[in-house]
Amino acid sequence: MAPKQRMAVTVPAGPKLEDTAKRLQWAEANGYDDAWFSDSGAPDSLTAIAALAHRVERLRIGIAVTPVFSRTPAVLAATANVLGQALPGRFVFGLGASSQTMMQNWHGLEYEKPLTRVKETAVMVRSMLAGEKSDFDLETLKSHGYRQPPSDPMVPLYLAALRPKMIEMAAEVGDGVVFNLWPRKALPKMVEHVHTGAARGGKDGAGVEIVNRYMVLVTDDKAEARNRFRAAFAPYYATPVYNSFLAWAGYEDAARQIREGWAEKDRAKTTGALEDDLIDDIAVIGNEDECRERIRWAAETGIHTHIVAPLTQDPAEVERTFAAFRPEVFDLAA
């Protein structure tokens, strides 16, 4: 059975915990199904979930995604145990490799064998959540003699993925898959790889939940919104992980120009690689009807949970963007 269609807000809502609490409460009051945290620095999202879990009663809360390099499997399992108790049956733990920029530059960690590290982390964390005593000598990780009380209900583990090998592993090993920042023509083949990986794991691919975070701006000024996207995400696509993904998705020239522009410290060259058509293939920009139609297409193509991440910090623009996807005006089940 296919997972239900779900609309989600993105959090945190800025540096202040109270602002995030207000967004969670607004989402619950306005019929959203989920809230999904990003995890890229302060405020720490795992701590924030623990601090704010009592502020909502119905929302499912996920994290997309916690890097597997910056915390050990035992720490991740212990944290998931607490969050699973704070949100029984309503917490989803997303894990991913993150990027060289964050792991090497921010944390001073080696970024090696990301696919293997994500897979081994998921295997170990799931075992620890089940209350099993650790006895692992894996390629990238080891643990012996660690045990914690079993989680009940079990906390689901969703794995972030972009390209075929990681997508297939995520669907095979994880309970769900998390996508991000794909160009439109890449999505059908990404969904195909989910089905391939799920079959390898003895699962029905149609039952594997696919979560996606969209950069969205409901606006009447598309040109200005595209420029915001260029400024914010050209550096993102300069990282090796996303640059390779963009090339795999069929935009080799744009990927090469971004890579070259970044190396040359030529901002105009880097941002200029993201032409209007490419931005429209990645971001969700336009008026209410245009943005809803884009999300509806993604749902029909294979996405189940749709995280709306406003491409703005302006309160009025954020309100308009989130308001466009309230169930009273946008029903994916219809």
Side-chain angles (χ1 to χ4, degrees), residues 234-250:
Y236 222 83
Y237 284 109
T239 65
V241 169
Y242 277 91
N243 194 266
S244 296
F245 172 58
L246 191 62
W248 172 80

Side-chain angles (χ1 to χ4, degrees), residues 82-138:
V82 171
L83 297 179
Q85 293 182 58
L87 293 157
R90 295 191 292 119
F91 174 61
V92 180
F93 205 171
L95 301 172
S98 187
S99 68
Q100 291 93 337
T101 298
M102 286 178 60
M103 295 302 103
Q104 293 178 177
N105 296 356
W106 295 11
H107 294 281
L109 300 171
E110 294 298 323
Y111 189 81
E112 298 177 343
K113 299 183 181 295
L115 185 152
T116 303
R117 183 63 172 261
V118 172
K119 180 178 181 178
E120 293 181 351
T121 299
V123 168
M124 290 174 65
V125 170
R126 180 175 283 116
S127 174
M128 292 168 176
L129 287 170
E132 298 169 353
K133 188 175 182 179
S134 69
D135 187 19
F136 295 99
D137 283 296
L138 305 178

Side-chain angles (χ1 to χ4, degrees), residues 164 167-173 191-203 205 208:
I167 295 172
E168 291 179 11
M169 183 279 294
E172 177 186 4
V173 175
V191 172
E192 287 180 14
H193 287 293
V194 169
H195 286 255
T196 299
R200 188 181 301 155
K203 309 171 191 174
V208 175

